[in-house]
Amino acid sequence: MNELERGPEILPGTPDYEWFASVVDRTEEFAGRSSHWNGRLYEQPGAVAGVVEADGSMTISREHILDPARPGYTEGRSLTHDERYAAGAATRMAVFQARASLSGLGDDTGPGASPIGSLEDIALENALADRFTGRYGGRIAESLTEQNLPVDSFPAFPAYTTATDRLMYSLSRPTGMGPGELRDLLEATDRSQRFNVIADRVIDTQLGDRVPESHRNQLRQDLTGPLRRGLSGLTMTEYSQLTHQGSKLNWGHESAELTEFEFELNLEDIKTHYDSWGAEHPGVEPPELPDELRETFLDREEGMRQIWADRGWPAQQPVPGREQEYYESLNEQVYPNEREQEIARLQQFLWSHTAPSQHTDPATGAGERPNNVREIGSARKGQRGIE
C-alpha cells in the first residue's frame, strides 16, 4: 500500500465542500446505494485525483478537480471553451471519486478473499467505477448546473473496463443472471468478496446440492483463479504510457476472451467430476477433485500465461521463490528500446506492490491509502502505440 500525504481539511459550509457533497448525493441517488464517506474531506496534493480512506474520510485534488470545476458551477458565470471542457473533466473525476466511496471494503482475511489493494481488486473496482462514471457523469453534471459541460464517457481505464464489460456477459449463463443483474450484485458486494460471490453463484446455479460445503473454498479458487488473473494481468497494459487507448480496448477484449475460455473449461471439468460421481454412486458424498484434475488446471493456467507472453507482454509473475532476485536484476539489464524499458519499469512497479514484504494490513487505519489511488493522466493517451 502506498502512503500519500494529505493536505488541510476542507470544512463543511465552504463552496468546495458543498459542491463535492452534492456530487456524492447525486451519485448515491443514481446508484441506489449509500456512500461510506464519513463527511471528512481533505485536500489531495500532487498528481492524484483523490483517495477514499479506510476510515471513510476522503481526499480530493484542489488543483485537478475543485479549481477547474468551480467556474462550471458558479451561477451567472460565462465560460470559455477551455473552462467548459476543464469543468467537465473535473466533474468526471469527482463522480469517479464519489462512486468509489460507495464500495465497502469488507474483511479480506477470510478464505479466498481478495486483499484490498491487490491487482485484481484494483482492476475490478476501477472498472465498475469507470463504467458507472461514463454512464452517469454527464447526468450528474446536468443536475447540478445549467452550464453545458462536456463529460467524456470514454473509459478512463479502457483495458479494465472493456474486459469487465465482456465478462459480465460471459458469466451470465453460468450464474443464471443478466449482465446488469450481475453487475448490480458486484456493486453491492464488499470488494474483498466480489470474486467469491461470482463463484458461489456459479456453484449454486450449476452444481446445486451436489457439492459438499467442505469443498466450496477449493472450488472457489478453481473458478475465481481465471477471473483474477484475467483482470490483474491487464495491469501492465493499463498503466503503459506507450500503449494507445484503442490498443488497450483490444487487450481488454482479448483478455476477457481468454479468461472466459479458461473459466468455462474449469467449470466443465468440475461439473463432470460431480456428475460422474453422482451417476455411479447415487446418495454417496463425492470426494474432492482428484490430483490429476488439479494438475490440469495448473497446466491450463501456464498455457494462458504463455499466450499472454507470446502476444507481447511478459508473464507478470517470475518463478516462485525467485521473485526478488528476478526483479532486482531488472536494473542491471540493458534495454534496446523504449518499449522494453517501459516493460521493465512496470514489472518493478508491480513487484513493489505485490511482494509479500510490501503488503500491509488494510485495516490499519486512515494512514493507508491504496485502494483507489488514481493519478492524474494515468490513463492518458500514449504518444505512440505498441501491440
Side-chain angles (χ1 to χ4, degrees):
M1 292 184 178
N2 295 330
E3 292 189 9
L4 302 172
E5 294 182 0
R6 67 182 181 186
E9 184 170 4
I10 301 172
L11 297 176
T14 61
D16 289 333
Y17 182 98
E18 297 305 320
W19 172 74
F20 184 67
S22 67
V23 172
V24 174
D25 288 342
R26 294 295 189 277
T27 300
E28 290 179 319
E29 291 176 13
F30 280 102
R33 303 194 314 281
S34 297
S35 170
H36 295 272
W37 181 34
N38 65 7
R40 304 294 294 272
L41 185 64
Y42 300 86
E43 292 184 22
Q44 174 63 61
V48 173
V51 176
V52 180
E53 302 277 13
D55 66 353
S57 61
M58 281 201 281
T59 66
I60 189 168
S61 171
R62 182 172 295 283
E63 176 185 359
H64 300 290
I65 297 181
L66 296 178
D67 289 346
R70 191 176 301 112
Y73 298 88
T74 301
E75 187 175 355
R77 176 72 178 263
S78 178
L79 301 182
T80 66
H81 176 275
D82 289 346
E83 285 177 331
R84 286 179 58 247
Y85 277 86
T91 299
R92 194 190 199 288
M93 286 188 279
V95 172
F96 187 97
Q97 289 305 113
R99 160 53 192 79
S101 74
L102 304 186
S103 295
L105 300 183
D107 179 9
D108 65 355
T109 62
S114 297
I116 303 302
S118 61
L119 299 183
E120 67 265 23
D121 164 60
I122 291 172
L124 182 55
E125 169 63 7
N126 280 340
L128 293 173
D130 195 14
R131 180 55 67 204
F132 175 91
T133 304
R135 183 173 299 155
Y136 296 112
R139 294 166 65 180
I140 290 172
E142 289 176 4
S143 71
L144 296 175
T145 180
E146 295 182 357
Q147 299 280 5
N148 180 21
L149 302 182
V151 179
D152 190 8
S153 61
F154 188 87
F157 296 93
Y160 290 158
T161 304
T162 301
T164 299
D165 285 348
R166 172 162 179 146
L167 287 175
M168 293 300 99
Y169 285 92
S170 302
L171 292 168
S172 291
R173 182 192 60 80
T175 60
M177 305 178 74
E181 291 179 298
L182 181 56
R183 185 182 293 274
D184 289 344
L185 175 63
L186 296 182
E187 290 273 18
T189 301
D190 288 341
R191 287 169 53 172
S192 60
Q193 297 300 320
R194 283 173 174 164
F195 290 97
N196 278 345
V197 82
I198 294 173
D200 284 340
R201 180 75 189 189
V202 171
I203 292 169
D204 293 339
T205 301
Q206 298 296 318
L207 297 165
D209 58 4
R210 285 170 287 173
V211 176
E213 194 62 28
S214 60
H215 295 192
R216 186 174 290 266
N217 284 338
Q218 182 59 58
L219 294 181
R220 281 174 167 175
Q221 295 179 41
D222 298 329
L223 292 172
T224 63
L227 305 177
R228 296 174 192 271
R229 291 189 296 274
L231 289 176
S232 67
L234 287 167
T235 302
M236 294 178 72
T237 300
E238 193 67 85
Y239 285 91
S240 169
Q241 296 298 319
L242 299 180
T243 304
H244 189 276
Q245 299 293 72
S247 295
K248 292 183 180 184
L249 291 173
N250 291 336
W251 276 89
H253 181 83
E254 290 186 25
S255 171
E257 192 174 53
L258 293 171
T259 298
E260 177 186 0
F261 180 68
E262 184 183 0
F263 177 90
E264 290 187 345
L265 288 178
N266 283 9
L267 176 58
E268 287 306 311
D269 285 342
I270 291 170
K271 289 174 64 177
T272 298
H273 168 74
Y274 287 101
D275 289 344
S276 298
W277 179 269
E280 297 174 10
H281 308 86
V284 180
E285 182 173 298
E288 293 186 344
L289 301 186
D291 290 342
E292 56 265 29
L293 188 51
R294 302 222 171 278
E295 289 298 317
T296 297
F297 291 167
L298 290 175
D299 290 343
R300 195 169 286 154
E301 176 184 342
E302 280 192 359
M304 290 299 168
R305 289 186 185 277
Q306 188 58 50
I307 290 174
W308 268 103
D310 291 343
R311 292 191 180 187
W313 287 113
Q316 291 189 6
Q317 303 297 329
V319 178
R322 300 177 60 187
E323 295 94 343
Q324 187 163 354
E325 176 186 349
Y326 173 77
Y327 283 104
E328 287 179 347
S329 72
L330 294 176
N331 281 328
E332 302 170 3
Q333 300 180 30
V334 177
Y335 302 99
N337 56 54
E338 190 177 5
R339 178 177 184 273
E340 293 192 12
Q341 291 172 13
E342 184 188 48
I343 289 174
R345 177 179 60 78
L346 288 169
Q347 284 182 309
Q348 289 174 309
F349 167 79
L350 292 177
W351 168 246
S352 70
H353 285 71
T354 59
S357 62
Q358 300 297 324
H359 289 171
T360 55
D361 184 352
T364 51
E368 305 295 349
R369 299 184 175 217
N371 45 65
N372 71 318
V373 172
R374 183 163 182 251
E375 291 193 16
I376 305 298
S378 63
R380 67 176 178 267
K381 185 174 180 178
Q383 294 302 308
R384 63 182 181 87
I386 58 175
E387 296 299 329

